[in-house]
Amino acid sequence: MRRQFLAGAVLLVAACTALTACGSSGGSGAGSTGGAAGSKTITIGVVTDLTGAASSGFTTDVKGIQAYANRIDAAGGVNGYKIKYVVADTTSTPTGALTAVQELVQRDNVFAIVENSSVFYGAEAYALQAGIPVVGSAIDGPIWTDPKDSNLFSAVGVINLDYMMLAEGQFMKSQGVTKCASVGYSSSVSSQNSASDFIKSCQAAGLQSGYLNNQVPFGSTNVGPVALAMKAAGVDGLYLPIDPSTAFALVAALRQDGVKLKSVVLATGYGGDLLASKATVQAAQGDGFATIGIPAESNTPATRQRAADLAKVGVTGPPTFAEQEAYLSMVAFADGLRAAGANPTRASFMKAMDGIKNYDGDGLLAPEKISFHNYAPATGCMWVAVLKGESFSVVPGMPICAPNVKVAG
């Protein structure tokens, strides 16, 4: 699946206090050294955006961490080790991310970092130099596909932005679309690349390129001229790798202008955060959302297990964006720890992660199988759920899987 490196998701909730020690038993947990031999507890640092401009998308992050940590502890740990975690707030700034990671490493001596942040890139140079493994959501920038950042491991898979997902165009074709459109933010290279590659994917599927605009100001809702241009171009399929605030405004403008869209897919917005807002639910009726792996509504063994784990920490509805990302990050961390054997060190953990070739997030990312440092997987899969009433429905025929193709030039 393509990861969108977009700062500031639009989602809401609450979590552990910044720089607080947490765990399934509620204790602080002893910090582990670079090696955890003889400890029976491994302490990780959880880095996320609890305050600041991006915080609305991340405040439920710790629920996902806690849910999977509880599951690990209930099973007796991983190779006998239970997990403690210390939460650090980035304040939604790169310098805040650096300060958070420095404190976790120098004060708490954490074994590894599990991150879900829009600004973690501010701390990566320090984490790399210190030899700290980082497992996370890979939403903050292209560091996750840079081979020199060998300590980074994406829990949800990434694809080099030089590649396009043929699955995107094939999905639009399956929905009867004939002419595709997309927009990207002027200040986000990844958003621009995602929009451009979507149009190329449509063309590869035999559809027409109707409209592409990569100069939309970040977060703007002044999209009337864009809607009119799309109407004039006769587009009927739309993919939006932008924040939901802009996307909802654009879709509303198109509908007001009488544009009949056969499919509209937002890259972000799926989950419990959207359902918590009546106004947003009303605005998003009929919109499609690309999901992080299998949608909860698919009701598979993997999604039922996640729902059961989250229910134990008070989450009874569809998981939020942050809960999905954090839970998967813990799955990936546990897989690496398991592969590292009885006496893990930071170095042996990273070597073990490098050796994993078939990670699927405990089935939540199936049918994809991920190799943590393969940035151009041969195949990409796309899941889409549509909002109908106050719930999401999985589009029939999901997922659509197809080759990822290198973009010329």
Side-chain angles (χ1 to χ4, degrees):
M1 71 187 66
R2 181 184 301 282
R3 301 299 298 145
Q4 304 301 332
F5 305 127
L6 300 177
V10 272
L11 322 169
L12 319 161
V13 272
C16 250
T17 306
L19 288 170
T20 308
C22 308
S24 62
S25 64
S28 62
S32 70
T33 60
S39 178
K40 291 309 173 186
T41 297
I42 286 181
T43 301
I44 59 173
V46 174
V47 176
T48 191
D49 306 339
L50 293 180
T51 61
S55 62
S56 63
F58 298 94
T59 50
T60 51
D61 187 79
V62 178
K63 290 291 188 181
I65 300 291
Q66 183 184 10
Y68 202 79
N70 287 352
R71 179 178 169 186
I72 290 171
D73 285 0
V78 177
N79 296 339
Y81 293 102
K82 294 191 175 183
I83 307 299
K84 299 295 182 181
Y85 53 91
V86 182
V87 183
D89 180 17
T90 68
T91 67
S92 300
T93 66
T95 54
L98 175 59
T99 298
V101 171
Q102 286 174 331
E103 291 185 356
L104 289 169
V105 173
Q106 297 171 16
R107 186 195 69 188
D108 299 295
N109 196 25
V110 298
F111 178 81
I113 299 291
V114 172
E115 70 80 45
N116 184 20
S117 166
S118 63
V119 293
F120 182 80
Y121 61 86
E124 167 51 12
Y126 171 80
L128 177 64
Q129 184 177 26
I132 306 299
V134 179
V135 181
S137 55
I139 58 174
D140 59 307
I143 55 173
W144 294 85
T145 56
D146 190 334
K148 77 173 178 58
D149 291 296
S150 57
N151 64 321
L152 299 182
F153 305 93
S154 170
V156 289
V158 292
I159 179 172
N160 189 308
L161 289 175
D162 291 334
Y163 286 74
M164 67 173 174
M165 290 180 60
L166 289 184
E168 294 173 341
Q170 290 188 7
F171 170 77
M172 288 291 164
K173 187 174 183 178
S174 75
Q175 301 304 299
V177 170
T178 59
K179 190 175 287 189
C180 296
S182 190
V183 300
Y185 284 134
S186 58
S187 59
S188 172
V189 173
S190 57
S191 175
Q192 294 169 14
N193 285 355
S194 294
S196 298
D197 289 352
F198 167 72
I199 296 298
K200 293 174 183 176
S201 181
C202 283
Q203 292 174 314
L207 309 180
Q208 297 181 55
S209 169
Y211 180 85
L212 174 66
N213 182 346
N214 276 329
Q215 296 303 314
V216 175
F218 191 92
S220 174
T221 56
N222 181 22
V223 291
V226 175
L228 290 173
M230 286 187 179
K231 180 178 181 179
V235 305
D236 57 0
L238 183 60
Y239 176 66
L240 298 173
I242 52 179
D243 277 356
S245 56
T246 306
F248 291 154
L250 177 56
V251 174
L254 286 165
R255 288 171 177 160
Q256 185 174 356
D257 290 339
V259 177
K260 303 297 183 182
L261 295 170
K262 294 179 179 176
S263 181
V264 52
V265 177
L266 282 68
T268 59
Y270 166 82
D273 324 79
L274 186 152
L275 297 179
S277 167
K278 291 184 178 180
T280 304
V281 167
Q282 183 176 2
Q285 287 299 308
D287 291 349
F289 297 84
T291 70
I292 305 166
I294 302 175
E297 294 75 18
S298 293
N299 196 29
T300 67
T303 61
R304 289 196 295 271
Q305 178 66 64
R306 181 181 60 188
D309 293 340
L310 286 168
K312 292 176 182 177
V313 297
V315 179
T316 57
T320 65
F321 169 82
E323 289 159 0
Q324 294 171 67
E325 297 277 3
Y327 187 92
L328 280 166
S329 295
M330 288 296 287
V331 174
F333 174 76
D335 278 9
L337 192 59
R338 193 172 293 111
N343 298 302
T345 65
R346 290 167 179 156
S348 70
F349 174 84
M350 288 189 280
K351 183 176 181 180
M353 291 291 280
D354 281 333
I356 294 174
K357 309 296 183 185
N358 60 351
Y359 164 80
D360 68 356
D362 280 1
L364 289 169
L365 301 179
E368 290 188 296
K369 298 290 186 180
I370 292 171
S371 172
F372 283 110
H373 276 162
N374 177 8
Y375 305 129
T379 301
C381 296
M382 186 173 188
W383 290 88
V384 178
V386 175
L387 182 66
K388 298 179 178 179
E390 296 185 357
S391 63
F392 293 97
S393 298
V394 182
V395 174
M398 294 291 98
I400 289 182
C401 300
N404 296 318
V405 178
K406 187 171 178 60
V407 180

